[in-house]
């Protein structure tokens, strides 16, 4: 009997999750997350009370003594067969840990290479190209740290039922339900956006995988430079190193590419709800600034629920946004400096040129998607402000005037939108500030290169070493 009740509870929770509008439209994209080992649902969140079967009622006979009556419930260990949903999510969790192990191994391979080659480079540091070599290794290290931190962020968010699981469940409760009969359903509006975002993720993911798989598995002369960089400090014919590189880069690529598009997908969903709310507010506000009684408070509460959902999403993605923006900006100006340092090198080859162009596009794409999504959500969350200023307060009762002021105060006095680990809100001003930061440090790095190549430089006077046959790029 208890087992049947548990199956009913499990079925009910699974149905709620799979019938959830946001989870249902995101399922094809979440499949990419699962393949990369960065998404699973916690088993303890599937069952409402997974320990319910451990408590069995044990009635006791009546006692006439003055002693305390015995406990009417006792704990028994009852064997319970795991449900199909539990087995699937437990398998997904093990697979995620398996992928994390390979990402760690892939990172360890790079750290070993760093300790093997870095001392020699520092000992012979005497030119702008040497600075480019050093900056290449630092940028590669930043890339690996980025992947590891993002992987840990998503694994923790998946294991905690108050994060991703709660995010999908709260969408059903907090999303905006329009009273407009002409408004289309959420799935019909959101599916085209989902398809576009998923297509972009796959398009970027394929060359991301090939950028390392081709030089690792193919021995052609046109990929010799890339192969030498990839196996710097290792034997390129070592099967164990090749295996770690191929498998580790497979999981690292999914972790690096897919989460930023998932962030965009969640952001577009929230933006769409804000836009619908603002449109309904516009329709219910007359040209003379009069709105029906009770509508101000209704829209205020619905806007507040959307803001609560946005806060929940930000608690998952806040650190991810900071890491993605910071690592992306650093990798952009590192690659620009490296390309300029080796601009006159004719041994770079076509494969190296295409690899640098692709990586430059990826480095720009990562922070740009985060900033673009944050700006759109921030603007959409503040859209009702222009409608509220049109309301004629002279025709409002005192209670609704207070509600109007409370609504306006929420829109003007609080930070609405995604944040970079609560340090700053991602809006248009943040985009401009980061652009100025990039230009400043890029010019500073170019100045350092000029100083190193100057004949009056103390470092240049020590000697000059040229590397005619070596070209470095970011892996």
């Amino acid at each position: 009997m208890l087992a049947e009740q548990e199956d009913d509870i499990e079925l009910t929770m699974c149905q709620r999750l799979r019938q959830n509008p946001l989870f249902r439209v995101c399922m094809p994209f979440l499949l990419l997350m699962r393949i990369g080992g960065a998404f699973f649902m916690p088993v303890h969140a599937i069952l409402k009370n997974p320990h319910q079967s451990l408590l069995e009622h044990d009635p006791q006979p009546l006692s006439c003594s003055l002693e305390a009556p015995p406990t009417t419930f006792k704990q028994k260990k009852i064997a319970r067969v795991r449900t199909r949903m539990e087995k699937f999510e437990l398998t997904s969790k093990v697979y995620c840990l398996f992928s994390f192990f390979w990402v760690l191994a892939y990172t360890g391979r790079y750290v070993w290479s760093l300790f093997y080659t870095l001392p020699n480079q520092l000992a012979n540091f005497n030119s702008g190209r040497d600075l480019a070599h050093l900056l290449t290794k630092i940028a590669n290290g930043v890339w690996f740290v980025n992947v590891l931190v993002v992987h840990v962020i998503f694994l923790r968010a998946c294991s905690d039922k108050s994060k991703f699981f709660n995010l999908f469940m709260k969408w059903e409760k907090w999303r905006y339900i329009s009273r407009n009969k002409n408004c289309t359903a959420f799935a019909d509006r959101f599916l085209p956006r989902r398809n576009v975002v998923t297509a972009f993720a796959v398009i970027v993911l394929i060359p991301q995988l090939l950028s390392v798989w081709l030089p690792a598995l193919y021995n052609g002369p046109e990929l010799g430079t890339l192969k030498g960089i990839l196996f710097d400090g290792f034997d390129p014919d070592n099967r164990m190193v090749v295996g770690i590189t191929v498998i580790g880069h497979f999981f690292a690529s999914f972790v690096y590419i897919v989460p930023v598009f998932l962030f965009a997908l969640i952001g577009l969903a929230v933006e769409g709800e804000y836009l619908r709310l603002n449109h309904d507010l516009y329709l219910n506000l007359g040209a003379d600034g009069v709105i029906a009684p009770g509508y101000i408070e209704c829209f205020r509460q619905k806007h507040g629920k959307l803001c609560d959902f946005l806060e929940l999403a930000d608690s998952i993605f806040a650190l991810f946004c900071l890491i993605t923006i910071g690592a992306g900006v650093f990798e952009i100006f590192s690659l620009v400096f490296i390309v300029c340092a080796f601009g006159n090198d004719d041994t770079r080859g076509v494969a190296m040129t295409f690899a640098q162009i692709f990586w430059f596009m990826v480095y720009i794409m990562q922070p740009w998607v985060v900033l673009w999504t944050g700006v759109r959500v921030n603007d959409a969350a503040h859209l009702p402000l222009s409608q509220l200023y049109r309301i004629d307060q002279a025709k409002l009762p005192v209670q609704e005037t207070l509600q109007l002021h409370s609504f306006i105060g929420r829109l003007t006095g609080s930070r609405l939108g995604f944040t970079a680990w609560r340090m700053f809100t991602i809006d248009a001003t943040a985009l401009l500030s980061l652009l100025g930061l990039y230009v400043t440090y890029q010019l500073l790095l170019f100045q350092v290169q000029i100083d190193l190549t100057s004949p009056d430089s103390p470092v240049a006077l020590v000697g000059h070493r040229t590397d005619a046959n070596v070209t470095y790029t970011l892996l």
Side-chain angles (χ1 to χ4, degrees):
M1 184 68 181
L2 291 175
E4 293 178 357
Q5 292 178 356
E6 284 190 354
D7 292 338
D8 293 338
I9 293 173
E10 190 269 342
L11 183 62
T12 302
M13 296 300 291
C14 291
Q15 287 180 343
R16 283 188 59 193
L17 184 62
R18 291 174 179 175
Q19 294 176 0
N20 183 279
L22 184 62
F23 184 81
R24 189 171 63 249
V25 298
C26 290
M27 281 185 66
F29 195 86
L30 294 178
L31 178 62
L32 294 177
M33 298 285 293
R34 290 183 183 272
I35 293 175
F39 184 82
F40 65 92
M41 280 297 175
V43 174
H44 58 278
I46 298 174
L47 296 177
K48 189 175 296 183
N49 186 5
H51 302 293
Q52 185 177 358
S53 63
L54 300 181
L55 296 178
E56 182 180 337
H57 184 65
D58 187 18
Q60 299 290 336
L62 294 176
S63 176
C64 298
S65 64
L66 298 179
E67 297 178 359
T71 305
T72 57
F73 288 90
K74 66 180 182 178
Q75 186 171 352
K76 293 183 178 180
K77 294 184 178 179
I78 301 177
R80 181 177 63 86
V81 179
R82 295 190 182 275
T83 61
R84 184 171 57 182
M85 185 68 176
E86 285 182 289
K87 292 179 181 179
F88 175 75
E89 295 300 341
L90 283 175
T91 304
S92 298
K93 184 177 181 178
V94 174
Y95 179 77
C96 289
L97 295 177
F98 173 78
S99 69
F100 185 68
F101 165 78
W102 281 105
V103 173
L104 281 177
Y106 188 37
T107 306
R109 187 201 70 92
Y110 169 74
V111 173
W112 178 266
S113 173
L114 192 67
F115 280 107
Y116 180 79
T117 59
L118 189 60
N120 184 45
Q121 290 187 0
L122 293 177
N124 298 290
F125 187 88
N126 58 9
S127 68
R129 285 197 171 191
D130 292 324
L131 178 61
H133 297 163
L134 179 62
L135 199 59
T136 298
K137 294 189 176 297
I138 296 176
N140 287 337
V142 170
W143 187 87
F144 280 103
V145 171
N146 183 13
V147 171
L148 282 176
V149 172
V150 170
H151 208 166
V152 171
I153 290 173
F154 277 82
L155 290 182
R156 290 189 61 184
C158 291
S159 61
D160 188 354
K161 66 178 182 180
S162 65
K163 298 296 184 180
F164 269 123
F165 182 83
N166 195 34
L167 183 73
F168 291 114
M169 288 301 180
K170 291 299 183 182
W171 176 262
E172 185 178 1
K173 181 179 179 182
W174 289 345
R175 71 187 181 97
Y176 177 71
I177 301 178
S178 176
R179 296 183 179 181
N180 186 7
K181 296 181 180 180
N182 297 325
C183 184
T184 57
F186 169 74
D188 296 335
R189 296 190 318 272
F190 193 66
L191 279 177
R193 293 186 172 187
R194 191 278 313 271
N195 295 337
V196 171
V197 172
T198 305
F200 268 110
V202 174
I203 290 173
V204 177
L205 188 61
I206 292 175
Q208 167 73 21
L209 292 171
L210 295 178
S211 64
V212 169
W213 282 2
L214 285 180
L217 300 175
Y218 181 65
N219 294 322
E222 60 273 10
L223 297 175
T225 304
L226 282 174
K227 195 178 189 70
I229 297 169
L230 183 62
F231 291 97
D232 189 16
F234 292 98
D235 181 8
D237 296 326
N238 190 318
R239 293 185 178 181
M240 185 180 69
V241 176
V242 173
I244 292 175
T245 303
V246 172
I247 300 176
H249 188 72
F250 172 79
F251 292 113
S253 297
F254 275 88
V255 175
Y256 181 64
I257 296 296
V258 180
V260 71
F261 288 101
L262 177 63
F263 172 75
L265 207 62
I266 299 297
L268 290 175
V270 177
E271 181 208 15
E273 299 303 295
Y274 276 124
L275 292 177
R276 281 206 307 156
L277 185 146
N278 180 72
H279 180 67
D280 287 355
L281 179 59
Y282 171 79
L283 295 177
N284 286 277
L285 182 59
D288 55 352
V290 177
I291 190 171
Y295 272 55
I296 295 178
E297 181 63 14
C298 177
F299 282 107
R300 188 186 71 85
Q301 291 183 2
K302 291 182 177 181
H303 188 275
K305 289 181 179 179
L306 285 177
C307 292
D308 292 338
F309 180 84
L310 183 57
E311 286 288 330
L312 179 59
D314 185 62
S315 66
I316 299 174
F317 291 102
L319 181 57
F320 165 78
C321 292
L322 178 65
I323 293 295
T324 303
I325 293 174
V329 171
F330 180 81
E331 288 161 345
I332 289 172
F333 74 73
S334 298
L335 183 57
V336 170
F337 179 83
I338 293 167
V339 171
C340 293
F342 294 101
N344 298 325
D345 195 345
D346 297 331
T347 63
R348 180 167 50 186
V350 178
M352 179 69 69
T353 302
F354 277 108
Q356 290 178 335
I357 292 174
F358 169 74
W359 277 100
F360 183 72
M361 294 173 60
V362 172
Y363 292 154
I364 292 179
M365 179 204 70
Q366 291 278 345
W368 180 82
V369 170
V370 172
L371 293 172
W372 175 79
T373 304
V375 170
R376 290 180 66 97
V377 172
N378 181 266
D379 291 342
H382 289 88
L383 276 178
L385 195 60
S386 59
Q387 307 297 337
L388 297 177
Y389 283 142
R390 292 175 48 214
I391 297 178
D392 188 0
Q393 300 187 31
K395 300 178 182 180
L396 290 178
V398 177
Q399 183 177 2
E400 293 199 3
T401 301
L402 294 176
Q403 295 169 357
L404 176 62
H405 291 171
S406 177
F407 199 175
I408 294 176
R410 175 67 184 273
L411 293 174
T412 57
S414 59
R415 301 192 302 178
L416 302 179
F418 289 105
T419 65
W421 211 24
R422 309 288 179 176
M423 293 183 179
F424 58 88
T425 304
I426 302 176
D427 53 13
T429 58
L431 178 61
L432 184 61
S433 300
L434 289 172
L435 181 61
L437 180 68
Y438 163 74
V439 172
T440 301
Y441 281 95
Q442 189 71 74
L443 293 176
L444 180 62
L445 199 58
F446 282 139
Q447 183 62 43
V448 172
Q449 182 187 19
I450 294 173
D451 293 340
L452 287 175
T453 56
S454 173
D456 297 330
S457 173
V459 178
L461 292 176
V462 176
H464 181 70
R465 181 174 57 90
T466 59
D467 296 322
N469 299 322
V470 180
T471 304
Y472 286 80
T473 187
L474 300 181
L475 300 179

